[in-house]
Amino acid sequence: MNKIKVLIAENFDVYRHGLRSILSEAPAVSEVYAVRSAKDLVQAYKKSPDSVCIVSSNIEGSNIHDLMQRLEKVQPAPKVIVLTYSTDVNHLNQSLKAGVNGYLMKNCTTGELESAIKEVAKGKQAFSKSVSQMMANKYVDQAKKTGSVSNKLTKRETEVLKLIVEGHTSPEIAKMLFISPRTVETHRSNLMNKLKIKNTAALVRYALEKTEIG
Amino acid sequence: MNKIKVLIAENFDVYRHGLRSILSEAPAVSEVYAVRSAKDLVQAYKKSPDSVCIVSSNIEGSNIHDLMQRLEKVQPAPKVIVLTYSTDVNHLNQSLKAGVNGYLMKNCTTGELESAIKEVAKGKQAFSKSVSQMMANKYVDQAKKTGSVSNKLTKRETEVLKLIVEGHTSPEIAKMLFISPRTVETHRSNLMNKLKIKNTAALVRYALEKTEIG
DNA sequence: CAGGCACTACGTATTTCTACGTAGTTAAAA
DNA sequence: TTTTAACTACGTAGAAATACGTAGTGCCTG
């Protein structure tokens, strides 16, 4: 197997230095190039489209989805590993949807990082332990929920939920959204039915812990 | 001014490498030594008690308070900068109480890191912009709250709040705590008065975002 | 076009929550 | 010892939330 070229895109100084330092010493890696922004990454990728890209979840200048599209214009199947700082489930989902090949937590070990790069270079996928455990748990959770997998909320429901989380009562929300208080309560009702939740407290907790609200 | 010795304590590989890489290149720094755990840090500190310590907020093997005490046994006024990954206000408060000299966010720049080390080496304090901004905001918030600074909750109140967050109603909580439902409502009432909060939703949000509950 | 989904709205009844009080006991602090 | 704080408990009243329905309109899709 040929040695692997790696492109790092990370706008935080310390972390970028850390990645470069570790990967420079990795035997499987031949070249390491580090940039700060999404724009620079795309530029660099044009010059060496056979690289494995390591991208920070909070990369400056783009979200993962757009970044992937830009990379795909250069080369149809870019190899991208996302490194994340948070345990935000939404971000993971978005990244997977965007088609990334790996997803590691910021606190991964040198070993995890290296093996992930090797796997992705081979065309496989790579997830850090905590991420794959989390995915497994979610899968079980979903299955438990009577099989109905997509408990996605509608726009309006999300809107209402957001206002509930912000501490507004139903009448207040009604005024804000220019709808009837009853309608707000219908939305509350539907939210709770969908989420198998029985009161406001649990609803707020759900929103803060399992959605991008908050 | 003499060059500064730096001790790094960070259990995450990438970040530790990053710090070492950056500080090795810093002109003001003469020596850099990096360890993984609190225990190792104390050991290393005994050998060079004139070092500035850079400690990860999630350092393995100790909390900040105990770590500071251990360092103080070696040398009465250890110079410690905490690097944090989160925006957790509680952790900041605990760190300040423990007597650390600096507090930086993980996403600080190379410049911020270097100048913080210089400041702390001089015996001054150093906080990253976001941290000092946040402290300023909190100060204003506190001032607004009619001067009453300590809005700490009692044990019982914390207990009740926890159960509210878990989605239990007042009657349920009453049964769990073997007290009257009215008493639970009194606690709710007191909680909301203390926190200037007007309903359950805001209470849950407060608990999840600003306390260790959840 | 028919069917499904989202959004809207209402009725009724019950439960829970919130506001604003009072007050006894106990344990710790001044 | 006096005082303070915490925990307990209750009354009354009104506001809000929850449970259980029904139903019209618009939009998109098969």
Side-chain angles (χ1 to χ4, degrees):
Chain A
M1 168 125 198
N2 292 329
K3 288 232 182 177
I4 304 163
K5 289 184 196 173
V6 176
L7 275 179
I8 299 166
E10 163 68 78
N11 46 325
F12 292 159
D13 291 355
V14 179
Y15 211 66
R16 188 176 60 255
H17 277 78
L19 288 169
R20 190 161 57 189
S21 163
I22 286 177
L23 294 179
S24 299
E25 294 167 14
V29 175
S30 64
E31 284 180 41
V32 180
Y33 188 66
V35 299
R36 286 165 189 265
S37 69
K39 194 182 168 189
D40 291 347
L41 175 64
V42 176
Q43 284 299 327
Y45 191 62
K46 284 179 185 168
K47 293 177 188 166
S48 62
D50 55 339
S51 300
V52 172
C53 300
I54 301 193
V55 179
S56 164
S57 62
N58 50 7
I59 184 67
E60 248 169 33
S62 179
N63 59 45
I64 297 296
H65 183 257
D66 293 345
L67 180 58
M68 283 300 289
Q69 288 198 325
R70 286 202 265 165
L71 293 177
E72 279 163 3
K73 281 185 187 170
V74 180
Q75 204 265 333
K79 292 170 178 173
V80 175
I81 298 174
V82 170
L83 283 178
T84 188
Y85 289 92
S86 74
T87 52
D88 180 0
V89 181
N90 256 54
H91 187 270
L92 170 62
N93 291 337
Q94 285 171 15
S95 301
L96 293 177
K97 200 183 256 179
V100 307
N101 311 94
Y103 199 90
L104 302 185
M105 298 304 291
K106 66 163 196 292
N107 56 350
C108 67
T109 63
T110 305
E112 278 184 307
L113 183 61
E114 284 188 33
S115 68
I117 289 174
K118 285 184 204 166
E119 288 301 305
V120 171
K122 284 181 200 166
K124 295 182 182 175
Q125 291 200 310
F127 301 97
S128 60
K129 270 182 196 169
S130 47
V131 172
S132 39
Q133 274 175 5
M134 194 262 285
M135 290 193 296
N137 288 337
K138 287 292 159 187
Y139 187 84
V140 173
D141 282 357
Q142 294 289 20
K144 276 182 184 170
K145 282 178 185 172
T146 354
S148 72
V149 175
S150 75
N151 51 8
K152 277 182 187 174
L153 308 180
T154 68
K155 278 184 189 175
R156 205 52 157 176
E157 283 166 351
T158 308
E159 216 171 345
V160 170
L161 180 52
K162 200 167 186 171
L163 292 172
I164 292 172
V165 170
E166 286 173 8
H168 300 291
T169 64
S170 289
E172 286 173 0
I173 295 171
K175 283 181 187 172
M176 292 178 186
L177 300 182
F178 305 103
I179 58 179
S180 158
R182 298 308 190 90
T183 304
V184 176
E185 281 166 13
T186 302
H187 288 309
R188 287 186 100 114
S189 198
N190 293 336
L191 276 166
M192 291 194 286
N193 281 333
K194 279 190 183 177
L195 304 174
K196 319 283 177 195
I197 278 173
K198 64 180 205 297
N199 59 36
T200 303
L203 201 55
V204 172
R205 190 190 190 183
Y206 172 91
L208 289 176
E209 290 185 349
K210 312 208 173 173
T211 79
E212 75 287 355
I213 295 175
Chain B
M1 170 125 196
N2 291 328
K3 290 234 182 177
I4 304 163
K5 290 184 194 173
V6 176
L7 276 178
I8 298 166
E10 164 65 78
N11 46 323
F12 293 160
D13 291 354
V14 180
Y15 213 64
R16 189 176 59 254
H17 277 78
L19 288 170
R20 190 160 58 188
S21 163
I22 285 177
L23 295 180
S24 299
E25 294 166 13
V29 175
S30 63
E31 283 181 39
V32 180
Y33 190 65
V35 300
R36 285 165 189 266
S37 68
K39 193 182 170 190
D40 291 347
L41 174 63
V42 177
Q43 285 298 326
Y45 192 63
K46 284 179 185 166
K47 291 177 189 168
S48 63
D50 54 341
S51 300
V52 172
C53 300
I54 300 193
V55 179
S56 164
S57 63
N58 50 6
I59 183 68
E60 247 170 33
S62 178
N63 58 44
I64 298 295
H65 183 258
D66 293 346
L67 179 57
M68 283 299 289
Q69 288 199 325
R70 285 201 265 165
L71 293 178
E72 280 163 1
K73 281 185 187 170
V74 179
Q75 203 265 334
K79 291 170 180 174
V80 175
I81 297 174
V82 170
L83 284 178
T84 186
Y85 290 91
S86 75
T87 52
D88 180 1
V89 181
N90 258 49
H91 187 269
L92 170 62
N93 290 338
Q94 284 170 14
S95 301
L96 292 177
K97 202 183 253 177
V100 306
N101 311 93
Y103 199 89
L104 301 186
M105 298 305 290
K106 67 161 196 292
N107 57 349
C108 66
T109 64
T110 306
E112 279 185 305
L113 183 60
E114 286 189 33
S115 68
I117 290 174
K118 285 183 204 167
E119 288 301 305
V120 171
K122 285 181 199 166
K124 295 181 181 174
Q125 291 199 311
F127 302 97
S128 61
K129 270 182 197 170
S130 48
V131 171
S132 39
Q133 272 175 7
M134 194 261 286
M135 290 194 295
N137 289 337
K138 287 292 159 189
Y139 187 85
V140 174
D141 283 358
Q142 294 288 18
K144 276 182 185 170
K145 282 177 184 170
T146 353
S148 71
V149 177
S150 75
N151 52 8
K152 277 182 184 172
L153 308 180
T154 67
K155 278 185 188 175
R156 204 52 157 177
E157 283 166 350
T158 308
E159 214 170 347
V160 171
L161 180 52
K162 200 167 187 171
L163 292 171
I164 292 172
V165 171
E166 285 173 10
H168 301 291
T169 64
S170 289
E172 286 173 1
I173 295 171
K175 283 182 186 170
M176 292 177 185
L177 300 182
F178 304 104
I179 59 180
S180 159
R182 297 310 189 93
T183 303
V184 175
E185 283 164 14
T186 302
H187 287 312
R188 288 184 101 115
S189 198
N190 293 336
L191 276 166
M192 291 194 284
N193 281 332
K194 280 189 183 179
L195 304 173
K196 317 285 176 194
I197 278 174
K198 67 180 203 296
N199 60 36
T200 304
L203 202 56
V204 172
R205 190 188 190 186
Y206 172 91
L208 289 176
E209 290 185 349
K210 311 207 174 177
T211 78
E212 73 288 355
I213 294 175

